[in-house]
């Protein structure tokens, strides 16, 4: 580790968002190019930096900064250089020289303690003297805050965020309750705040620590898909986190409820936002779920509708069975309608008939889906443009005033969607927060049609909206069950339904689209997987190797996506002198790599460019599960460019690469809503709660033309027999029933 001291001669580049900086440091007679996270550092500052020298292929030798410390200029030359650098607005080179000539080494003390004396210098008024003193004081406060926070192991970038959030109040906050940082500042979670609290000497049984631990426990549960935790489960998990007795934790849960941060209903404990999300959804569903007409009021309407649908089916040469016709009829009769069914049961045909009917009636129709891939599939299946729900609701990149971690949509109750009919596909993927945003934007009187397969895995985000809606029994719904003749010719569809019913499937390779290769050796599985992707399957399904997807139940282990991605990258996109690459953590990102966004980022900007490189469309938001390819890696600008579906290009600073993973192999959960020409599924062994029927069903239904399972037939049979699912704690169906019982019938 090298230590270099000097002054910042020039800031070459600085990212205001994350603090990434490229600067020239003058260390005596030597000029050192430094790169690193140096938020809050400006030209003219005296600084001591620590880091390692690296050789950049284009820009040569650089010092990669790991830490830095801002220092006060020691002599008149340093003070003059600092004042003349532009760090203080209103002071240029000549004025800096006059100030230092007047006050010498005592200049900074004069500015801080006797700023009125600056008016002794020609060209400085009393007002300007006060402005200069205020700026110097602000710089000094930031410098002191950085030095103070560094002693507790806080990085300079995070220290700047803390200072910008609290100003000079940070000292009192850290002394009294450092856990506020976890609530107020993005990027600081409970564990980081807890480490800081230990260094500050905060007691393990501090009420602030216990409260923060409770909120963190609920936040972790939300990450696992829950909207609440049973009280006993919450106390047990918080006890394991905090090592504090449950009887000391329970009173703080009550205190958090008094502070309106928790809602406790019986033995159910909700983070307040998720309780009100479910309650709001139940209320808005009541407003939307209204009959468009009643038979007793318009006795001939049903017969007229039946005739219209029969005539329309003949004109479009569509054949609908009784359940499909019933579904179309219910979607016309009701403000809210749910259509459910597995693969091959005719959901697409039914949706198409709905669209054609509403189109013939002159109604405006919006189609949406949770992901870009699902929206693209919907567009291809219907011939009508479908958009992601986020785009439909017009996601706004501006942060909310109340909470910088919340998102805002332009479409809401005050600016609803200008549509008569809204049809949402792949509803099993929609979490409670996105559903709440959707309902806010659908005005009463607009028909809302929700379509999905309730047997798919639930959403990545919290909630199980489709399942709760169906289980409530409060809404008109049709479940399609008949597998149509054409679908019966596909063993993918037939086997998916057999698996869903708990029936064993043939693994004899007599199928044209469903194959099983018994392999017990992991290395042999690797070998066959690569052969299938590079040689066998592309020709068989008329697709590119990169379109063939490996799906796995797990992240870890020899057949988890982390290991598989490293292996597959080596064979599908090997190192090449012409391809740029960047190493971040344990991952090598290479030009041409297949990658996936692994968390929702509502501020990331994207653009679509023409063939001449001119931007023709732009927007914000990249979402968990979006898949794309790395187009470009730029070490100079410390960023890479990924192209997603619909030619959306996103620039990632290297500091955001934790949101991006290789996606040659992805977990089955992350594949929801997607469809691939061919799927390869490695299955040897794994935890019983994970290796279940629901997971296998979801994986198989992701394939359009071919499924190949590599592994153990005993594991496949065991998954089919295993009907257990990871239970989600949600209460939307209870909120719906409460409204019914209160007399607000749906």
């Amino acid at each position: 580790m090298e230590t270099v001291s000097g002054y910042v001669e020039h800031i070459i580049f600085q990212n205001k968002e994350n603090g990434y900086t490229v600067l020239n440091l003058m260390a005596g007679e030597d000029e050192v190019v430094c790169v690193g996270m140096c938020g809050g550092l400006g030209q003219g500052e005296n600084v001591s930096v620590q880091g390692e020298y690296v050789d950049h292929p284009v820009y040569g030798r650089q010092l990669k900064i790991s830490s830095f410390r801002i220092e006060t200029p020691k002599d008149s030359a340093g003070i003059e250089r600092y004042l003349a650098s532009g760090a203080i607005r209103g002071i240029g080179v000549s004025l800096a020289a006059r100030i230092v000539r007047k006050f010498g080494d005592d200049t900074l003390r004069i500015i801080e303690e006797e700023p009125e004396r600056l008016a002794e210098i020609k060209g400085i008024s009393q007002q300007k003297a006060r402005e200069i003193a205020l700026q110097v004081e602000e710089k000094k406060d930031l410098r002191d805050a950085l030095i103070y926070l560094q002693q507790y192991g806080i990085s300079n970038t995070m220290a700047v965020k803390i200072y910008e959030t609290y100003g000079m109040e940070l000292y009192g906050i850290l002394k009294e309750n450092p856990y506020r940082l976890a609530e107020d500042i993005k990027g600081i979670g409970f564990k980081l705040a807890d480490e800081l609290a230990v260094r500050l000497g905060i007691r393990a049984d501090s009420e602030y620590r216990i409260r923060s631990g409770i909120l963190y426990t609920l936040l972790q549960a939300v990450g696992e898909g829950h909207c609440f935790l049973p009280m006993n489960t919450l106390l047990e998990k918080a006890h394991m986190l905090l090592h504090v007795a449950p009887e000391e934790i329970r009173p703080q849960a009550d205190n958090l409820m008094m502070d309106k941060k928790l809602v406790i209903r019986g033995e159910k404990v909700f983070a307040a936002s998720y309780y009100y999300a479910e309650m709001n959804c139940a209320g808005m569903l009541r407003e939307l779920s209204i009959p468009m007409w009643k038979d007793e009021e318009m006795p001939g309407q049903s017969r007229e509708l039946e005739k219209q649908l029969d005539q329309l089916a003949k004109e479009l040469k569509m054949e609908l069975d009784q359940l499909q016709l019933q579904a179309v009829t219910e979607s016309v009769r009701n403000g809210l309608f749910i259509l459910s069914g597995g693969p091959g049961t005719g959901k697409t045909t039914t949706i198409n008939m709905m669209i054609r009917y509403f189109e013939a009636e002159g109604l405006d129709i919006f189609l949406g889906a949770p992901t870009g891939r699902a929206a693209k599939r919907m567009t291809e299946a219907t011939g009508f443009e479908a958009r992601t729900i986020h785009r439909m609701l017009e996601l706004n990149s501006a942060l909310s005033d109340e909470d910088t971690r919340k998102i805002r949509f332009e479409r809401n109750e005050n600016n609803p969607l200008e549509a008569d009919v809204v049809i949402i596909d792949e509803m099993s993927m929609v979490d409670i927060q996105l559903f709440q945003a959707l309902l806010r934007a659908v005005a009463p009187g607009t028909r809302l049609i929700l379509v999905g397969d309730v047997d798919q895995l639930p959403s990545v985000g919290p909630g199980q909206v489709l399942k709760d809606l169906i289980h409530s029994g409060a809404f008109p719904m049709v479940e399609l069950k008949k597998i149509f003749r054409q679908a019966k010719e596909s063993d993918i569809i037939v086997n998916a339904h057999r698996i869903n019913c708990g029936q064993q499937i043939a693994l004899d390779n007599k199928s044209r689209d469903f194959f099983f290769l018994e392999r017990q050796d992991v290395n042999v599985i690797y070998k066959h997987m690569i052969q299938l992707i590079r040689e066998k399957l592309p020709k068989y399904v008329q697709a590119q190797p990169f379109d063939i997807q490996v799906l796995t139940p797990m992240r870890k282990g020899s057949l988890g996506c982390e290991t598989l991605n490293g292996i597959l990258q080596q064979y599908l996109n090997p190192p090449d002198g012409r391809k740029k690459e960047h190493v971040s953590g344990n991952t090598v990102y290479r030009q041409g790599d297949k990658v996936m966004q692994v968390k929702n980022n509502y501020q990331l900007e994207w653009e679509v460019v023409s063939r001449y490189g001119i931007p023709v469309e732009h927007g914000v938001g990249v979402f968990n599960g979006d898949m794309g390819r790395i187009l470009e890696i730029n070490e100079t600008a410390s960023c890479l460019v990924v192209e997603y579906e619909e030619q959306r290009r996103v620039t990632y600073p290297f500091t955001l690469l934790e949101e991006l993973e290789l996606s040659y192999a992805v977990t089955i959960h992350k594949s929801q809503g997607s469809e691939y020409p061919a799927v390869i599924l490695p299955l040897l062994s794994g935890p019983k709660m994970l290796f279940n029927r629901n997971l296998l069903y979801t994986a198989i239904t992701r394939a359009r033309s071919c499924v190949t399972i590599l592994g153990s037939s005993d594991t496949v049979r065991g998954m089919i027999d295993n009907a257990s699912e990871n239970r989600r704690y949600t209460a939307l169906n209870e909120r719906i029933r409460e409204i019914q019982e209160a007399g607000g019938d749906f």
Side-chain angles (χ1 to χ4, degrees):
M1 190 75 71
E2 300 280 347
T3 300
V4 180
S5 298
Y7 68 91
V8 179
E9 192 265 337
H10 178 54
I11 299 284
I12 300 170
F13 170 81
Q14 189 166 64
N15 186 320
K16 299 295 184 185
E17 293 268 324
N18 55 42
Y20 181 82
T21 305
V22 182
L23 59 88
N24 285 343
L25 183 68
M26 293 304 298
E29 298 296 319
D30 298 326
E31 183 177 313
V32 182
V33 177
C34 301
V35 297
M37 309 305 290
C38 305
L41 197 58
Q43 280 183 197
E45 303 269 21
N46 281 54
V47 66
S48 175
V49 302
Q50 281 193 316
E52 300 282 354
Y53 280 104
V54 295
D55 289 313
H56 192 281
V58 177
Y59 298 99
R61 191 168 170 79
Q62 300 177 335
L63 183 67
K64 192 170 185 179
I65 300 171
S66 56
S67 66
F68 72 91
R69 185 177 69 255
I70 299 175
E71 299 176 337
T72 304
K74 298 293 192 297
D75 54 25
S76 57
I79 295 170
E80 182 177 341
R81 188 167 53 239
Y82 171 65
L83 294 176
S85 68
I88 307 299
R89 291 188 307 277
I91 298 182
V93 175
S94 61
L95 185 54
R98 294 207 304 276
I99 294 171
V100 174
R101 197 158 49 240
K102 173 77 174 174
F103 300 116
D105 293 351
D106 208 25
T107 298
L108 289 181
R109 187 197 67 78
I110 294 289
I111 294 174
E112 291 170 10
E113 299 175 11
E114 305 175 71
E116 68 279 358
R117 290 190 58 191
L118 289 173
E120 297 173 14
I121 298 168
K122 186 178 180 181
I124 299 181
S125 64
Q126 287 288 346
Q127 173 70 23
K128 188 168 184 176
R130 284 193 294 272
E131 291 174 358
I132 291 169
L134 184 61
Q135 288 186 66
V136 170
E137 185 64 25
E138 287 175 351
K139 296 277 184 180
K140 181 177 181 294
D141 289 345
L142 173 57
R143 183 166 61 247
D144 291 345
L146 293 182
I147 293 169
Y148 174 77
L149 293 169
Q150 279 174 350
Q151 67 182 315
Y152 295 112
I154 295 176
S155 71
N156 289 298
T157 303
M158 197 59 71
V160 171
K161 283 187 179 181
I162 294 171
Y163 177 80
E164 288 177 346
T165 302
Y166 300 124
M168 296 306 290
E169 292 180 25
L170 73 90
Y171 301 101
I173 289 168
L174 289 175
K175 186 176 180 181
E176 182 185 2
N177 178 18
Y179 295 96
R180 267 190 63 182
L181 275 64
E183 296 182 45
D184 297 340
I185 302 174
K186 186 177 180 180
I188 297 183
F190 169 80
K191 292 194 173 179
L192 185 58
D194 202 33
E195 290 173 10
L196 179 58
V198 170
R199 297 190 189 108
L200 288 162
I202 303 294
R203 296 192 340 266
D205 61 352
S206 157
E207 65 178 54
Y208 295 121
R209 180 171 187 265
I210 295 172
R211 290 185 193 186
S212 185
I214 291 170
L215 293 174
Y216 176 76
T217 301
L218 283 172
L219 181 65
Q220 293 296 102
V222 165
E224 295 168 3
H226 306 296
C227 290
F228 72 86
L229 282 178
M231 179 63 81
N232 287 340
T233 304
L234 172 66
L235 295 178
E236 180 185 341
K237 288 180 177 290
H239 164 67
M240 292 173 65
L241 172 72
L242 299 167
H243 304 292
V244 174
E247 55 267 25
E248 294 184 57
I249 297 172
R250 176 59 206 262
Q252 297 307 328
D254 293 331
N255 288 336
L256 284 167
M257 183 176 70
M258 296 295 290
D259 291 341
K260 298 184 178 179
K261 292 182 178 179
L262 297 187
V263 174
I264 302 176
R265 295 285 302 267
E267 289 299 304
K268 298 181 177 70
V269 186
F270 299 79
S273 61
Y274 291 97
Y275 174 80
Y276 289 112
E278 290 191 329
M279 191 170 73
N280 291 340
C281 285
M284 290 185 286
L285 286 165
R286 177 183 60 186
E287 293 178 359
L288 290 172
S289 185
I290 54 174
M292 292 303 180
W293 81 77
K294 294 181 179 178
D295 284 340
E296 59 270 24
E297 296 173 0
M298 303 177 68
Q301 190 74 14
S302 292
R303 288 193 298 274
E304 181 62 31
L305 175 60
E306 190 177 329
K307 289 179 184 176
Q308 283 180 274
L309 293 178
D310 184 55
Q311 181 62 33
L312 191 59
K314 288 177 181 175
E315 290 173 7
L316 297 171
K317 298 180 180 177
M318 285 185 179
E319 291 184 19
L320 278 73
D321 70 4
Q322 196 57 42
L323 271 179
Q324 289 175 303
L325 280 170
Q326 182 187 339
V328 179
T329 301
E330 292 294 325
S331 73
V332 175
R333 288 167 53 96
N334 294 283
L336 177 65
F337 172 69
I338 300 168
L339 175 64
S340 180
T345 55
K347 291 197 300 293
T348 299
T349 301
T350 308
I351 293 170
N352 274 322
M353 177 60 91
M354 291 175 184
I355 291 171
R356 268 57 186 187
Y357 172 82
F358 291 128
E359 184 186 28
E361 292 294 301
L363 302 182
D364 290 325
I365 308 162
F366 282 6
L367 306 184
T371 67
R373 281 178 172 265
K376 184 179 179 183
R377 286 174 59 196
M378 197 178 188
T379 299
E380 291 168 349
T382 64
F384 277 68
E385 182 195 5
R387 293 171 288 171
T388 64
I389 298 173
H390 290 89
R391 291 186 73 179
M392 181 189 292
L393 300 183
E394 298 176 20
L395 176 68
N396 190 315
S397 63
L399 295 172
S400 163
D401 293 327
E402 307 87 43
D403 183 347
T404 57
R405 300 182 215 190
K406 289 183 179 177
I407 60 169
R408 198 176 83 214
F409 293 101
E410 290 297 322
R411 295 293 179 175
N412 50 44
E413 58 270 38
N414 299 317
N415 182 28
L417 293 168
E418 296 170 3
D420 301 303
V421 182
V422 177
I423 304 176
I424 305 295
D425 198 7
E426 295 286 359
M427 268 300 299
S428 63
M429 297 178 63
V430 176
D431 63 44
I432 190 66
Q433 290 173 311
L434 185 57
F435 191 53
Q436 178 179 223
L438 173 68
L439 293 179
R440 281 177 171 159
V442 179
T446 302
R447 288 180 176 84
L448 178 61
I449 300 166
L450 307 175
V451 183
D453 181 352
V454 75
D455 294 313
Q456 295 283 350
L457 288 171
S459 57
V460 174
Q464 47 185 6
V465 171
L466 182 61
K467 186 173 285 189
D468 279 351
L469 293 179
I470 292 173
H471 286 177
S472 74
F475 309 106
M477 189 202 86
V478 169
E479 182 181 5
L480 303 177
K481 296 181 178 179
K482 176 184 174 183
I483 306 175
F484 284 87
R485 180 180 56 79
Q486 188 175 358
K488 284 181 179 178
E489 296 174 4
S490 166
D491 286 318
I492 294 173
I493 290 174
V494 171
N495 286 341
H497 283 275
R498 290 181 65 85
I499 290 167
N500 201 34
C501 295
Q503 301 170 5
Q504 293 296 330
I505 59 176
L507 301 174
D508 54 13
N509 290 328
K510 292 181 179 178
S511 169
R512 291 181 300 173
D513 60 8
F514 197 101
F515 304 99
F516 173 78
L517 301 178
E518 183 85 44
R519 301 290 185 269
Q520 299 294 332
D521 187 310
V522 169
N523 290 314
V524 173
I525 290 175
Y526 295 157
K527 175 186 171 184
H528 285 290
M529 194 182 297
I530 292 160
Q531 275 185 332
L532 286 166
I533 296 172
R534 291 205 306 191
E535 301 166 20
K536 307 288 186 184
L537 289 175
K539 293 177 184 176
Y540 192 72
V541 297
Q542 279 88 51
Q544 297 298 314
F546 271 63
D547 296 326
I548 294 160
Q549 189 62 51
V550 176
L551 301 181
T552 174
M554 305 169 294
R555 289 190 57 80
K556 305 291 184 181
S558 55
L559 291 178
C561 62
E562 291 180 3
T563 301
L564 289 175
N565 272 317
I567 293 168
L568 293 171
Q569 182 193 44
Q570 285 296 106
Y571 287 92
L572 301 180
N573 189 30
D576 183 329
R578 293 168 297 179
K579 294 177 185 173
K580 293 181 180 178
E581 55 185 55
H582 175 78
V583 180
S584 178
N586 296 321
T587 304
V588 176
Y589 296 93
R590 187 172 295 131
Q591 210 168 339
D593 271 338
K594 188 174 174 181
V595 290
M596 172 184 279
Q597 174 79 10
V598 294
K599 63 184 289 189
N600 289 340
N601 188 321
Y602 302 101
Q603 266 64 58
L604 262 181
E605 297 181 0
W606 53 263
E607 63 180 16
V608 177
V609 300
S610 70
R611 58 187 296 186
Y612 304 107
I614 300 170
V616 294
E617 186 182 356
H618 62 87
V620 293
V622 186
F623 306 107
N624 195 349
D626 284 356
M627 291 176 67
R629 296 277 293 272
I630 296 178
L631 288 185
E632 179 186 342
I633 296 177
N634 189 329
E635 288 287 347
T636 307
S638 296
C639 66
L640 57 78
V641 178
V642 176
E643 184 170 270
Y644 288 104
E645 294 279 345
E646 302 171 325
Q647 289 77 52
R648 293 175 301 133
R649 293 187 181 183
V650 178
T651 299
Y652 287 82
F654 288 162
T655 52
L656 271 186
L657 291 186
E658 62 185 24
E659 297 186 7
L660 209 58
E661 290 182 356
L662 298 178
S663 62
Y664 299 97
V666 301
T667 61
I668 295 166
H669 221 126
K670 291 283 190 185
S671 72
Q672 290 179 94
S674 298
E675 184 181 72
Y676 311 99
V679 161
I680 298 173
L681 190 58
L683 296 172
L684 266 184
S685 62
K688 185 176 180 181
M689 283 303 294
L690 181 61
F691 275 55
N692 58 31
R693 182 186 302 168
N694 189 216
L695 193 82
L696 183 60
Y697 172 78
T698 300
I700 285 170
T701 55
R702 299 306 92 208
R704 183 167 61 245
S705 302
C706 182
V707 168
T708 305
I709 300 176
L710 293 167
S712 164
S713 54
D714 289 342
T715 297
V716 175
R717 294 188 183 101
M719 291 178 78
I720 295 170
D721 289 336
N722 182 11
S724 66
E725 294 181 37
N726 291 323
R727 181 183 175 186
R728 285 200 169 189
Y729 294 114
T730 65
L732 176 59
N733 54 349
E734 293 179 26
R735 302 287 85 80
I736 292 168
R737 290 192 195 110
E738 284 173 359
I739 289 178
Q740 281 184 307
E741 290 165 7
D745 288 343
F746 285 81

